[in-house]
Amino acid sequence: MLYLITWFTDFAGVLFIFVGTRYLSEQNASPTMLGALGALYFLASAVSSAWAGTVADRWGYRQVSIVGMALLVISLGVNSFWHDEYWIFCVVYVAAGIAFGMIYPPLMAWLGHGQSGQTASRRYLFFCLAFNLGIVSGQITGGWAFEKFGVGVALLIALTLASLNMIFICLHKENNDEGNLAAGGDEGTDVEGNLSQAFARLARFANFGGMFSMSMLWFLLPQLVISLDIPADRHGLILATGRMVVMGTYLLLYLTSFWRHEFRITGCAQTIGVAGLIILSVADSSLGLAVGLAALSTMMGYNYFASLFYNATGSCHQHKGRAFGLNEASLGLGAAGGSLIGGLTANDLGSRAPFQLAALLITILLFVQCIVWWKSIRPAQKRLRG
């Protein structure tokens, strides 16, 4: 049931974001406005995630998720019937950001409660596949519904999905049993746990830079797509293709272990992401955009799955909500910065400049990660490996 809830949550949320940004772009909204709107959404989500994860550890995962889902339903309901005013979009975007921040950290901790090792890894793989399926569904459905029926019907679809999700999460009971903490038999040593904590901190840098880039796709790519005369349905298909690459990356990481606690793999993934952003900054066709997005999506898939693995193996069961809340907060802060700074950059330098800026930021953050790894993490790895 939790995987179905995850799928429907992202289905509704991404459909809402896609339709909203496409609608505002066709209404000639400025890049600055689109960027500010994205920043408000993700900043609200970041603050909410950091708070909700800690509260959920004490109050209960189900209770916090229900409150967040109720807020999402109300937000989408308001926007479905009143979407003609910019200020309504702004208010609803902030409320939706708060809602998502309250839903995901408890949901992720709920999935991993009482589990460890390969069992926990499998659950987070299914979680990743479920929410990415939701993203793909939202992008394809959003493009199709917007093209065929317009903004009103598309938003009603998102509201229907969120309402069904509210029913599902109310019906699903929280299991307070600790379960078999040794499931999978792969807990590791204290040294390995500390190493995972260190890599989890590195992952926050990577997630910040990755979401700085990805938020530009969600909130600023629509203007570039429209300038290239790419229709809404093909726009949605391009974004969905990137999600398929992300999901394939998750599956590869789950089936292998060569990447675990290996900083060189982290560096390679982020280098591929930089290459993808450069391609996006010069592409002038649907194929070029798809190739650039595929490279960027490879980095995003690695960054996120690795961060889930390190937070799951580096935090105790009583504090998983807090760990995942901080992880989601780093994503939200990166996305907020990308939306705002990207919007200002696009307004002054054109719709391609933000992707060049994002490539530069990821390069700088990778250099910072290299320093941290060399000084603080590499010695611990040497001790672990004898």
Side-chain angles (χ1 to χ4, degrees):
M1 180 69 82
L2 292 179
Y3 302 125
L4 180 62
I5 292 169
T6 300
W7 175 29
F8 272 33
T9 299
D10 261 288
F11 193 161
V14 171
L15 197 159
F16 165 62
I17 292 174
F18 178 90
V19 170
T21 53
R22 179 82 191 197
Y23 172 73
L24 292 176
S25 295
E26 292 194 353
Q27 298 299 313
N28 297 317
S30 68
T32 301
M33 180 194 170
L34 291 173
L37 188 63
L40 286 172
Y41 171 87
F42 285 112
L43 183 60
S45 177
V47 174
S48 178
S49 294
W51 169 82
T54 301
V55 171
D57 284 331
R58 301 175 182 176
W59 189 25
Y61 305 138
R62 180 170 176 266
Q63 289 88 331
V64 176
S65 296
I66 287 175
V67 173
M69 198 68 70
L71 179 58
L72 181 62
V73 170
I74 293 171
S75 302
L76 292 176
V78 169
N79 209 43
S80 295
F81 294 99
W82 294 283
H83 57 263
D84 294 329
E85 297 291 338
Y86 284 177
W87 72 268
I88 292 179
F89 261 108
C90 292
V91 172
V92 169
Y93 263 74
V94 172
I98 294 172
F100 278 106
M102 295 180 68
I103 294 169
Y104 270 119
L107 186 60
M108 295 159 73
W110 195 351
L111 276 166
H113 184 72
Q115 304 296 331
S116 63
Q118 192 68 5
T119 301
S121 181
R122 182 167 58 251
R123 288 194 175 191
Y124 288 120
L125 170 68
F126 291 152
F127 165 78
C128 289
L129 295 177
F131 87 75
N132 276 277
L133 181 60
I135 292 175
V136 171
S137 302
Q139 289 166 342
I140 293 178
T141 304
W144 170 79
F146 189 94
E147 190 77 11
K148 298 295 183 182
F149 306 108
V151 62
V153 171
L155 290 172
L156 282 174
I157 294 173
L159 174 61
T160 301
L161 291 166
S163 300
L164 288 172
N165 225 10
M166 183 69 186
I167 297 173
F168 294 153
I169 202 166
C170 286
L171 292 176
H172 190 73
K173 300 299 182 182
E174 182 171 359
N175 183 10
N176 292 320
D177 185 12
E178 283 291 321
N180 180 16
L181 295 181
D186 192 27
E187 310 92 305
T189 65
D190 290 341
V191 176
E192 288 174 324
N194 292 334
L195 193 57
S196 287
Q197 289 181 12
F199 270 85
R201 288 191 290 270
L202 280 184
R204 290 170 195 162
F205 286 101
N207 281 334
F208 180 91
M211 281 304 295
F212 186 95
S213 310
M214 194 57 70
S215 65
M216 294 179 180
L217 291 175
W218 292 340
F219 291 93
L220 302 175
L221 186 65
Q223 287 204 329
L224 177 58
V225 169
I226 290 172
S227 71
L228 296 174
D229 295 323
I230 296 174
D233 52 355
R234 192 180 301 173
H235 177 192
L237 186 59
I238 291 171
L239 293 177
T241 300
R243 278 294 126 183
M244 293 296 187
V245 173
V246 170
M247 294 167 71
T249 304
Y250 292 152
L251 186 59
L252 173 64
L253 296 181
Y254 170 73
L255 293 174
T256 61
S257 60
F258 69 92
W259 54 273
R260 296 178 183 177
H261 305 118
E262 293 291 346
F263 184 71
R264 67 178 186 276
I265 306 299
T266 298
C268 287
Q270 292 178 60
T271 301
I272 292 172
V274 170
L277 286 165
I278 294 173
I279 293 172
L280 286 172
S281 71
V282 299
D284 57 2
S285 66
S286 298
L287 178 60
L289 293 177
V291 171
L293 182 56
L296 180 60
S297 297
T298 301
M299 179 192 74
M300 289 300 299
Y302 174 86
N303 286 352
Y304 192 66
F305 192 85
S307 69
L308 291 184
F309 173 81
Y310 294 135
N311 279 289
T313 58
S315 60
C316 64
H317 294 282
Q318 292 79 10
H319 297 125
K320 284 192 184 297
R322 178 178 179 272
F324 287 119
L326 291 175
N327 191 60
E328 294 298 302
S330 68
L331 292 163
L333 289 174
S339 299
L340 181 60
I341 297 174
L344 293 172
T345 304
N347 194 57
D348 294 335
L349 302 175
S351 58
R352 298 179 183 273
F355 302 113
Q356 298 167 350
L357 175 64
L360 176 62
L361 176 66
I362 291 176
T363 302
I364 293 172
L365 288 175
L366 180 56
F367 180 70
V368 172
Q369 292 170 69
C370 287
I371 295 175
V372 174
W373 173 78
W374 184 266
K375 290 187 174 181
S376 302
I377 301 176
R378 182 169 166 270
Q381 286 185 292
K382 283 188 173 181
R383 289 195 300 271
L384 178 62
R385 294 169 180 174

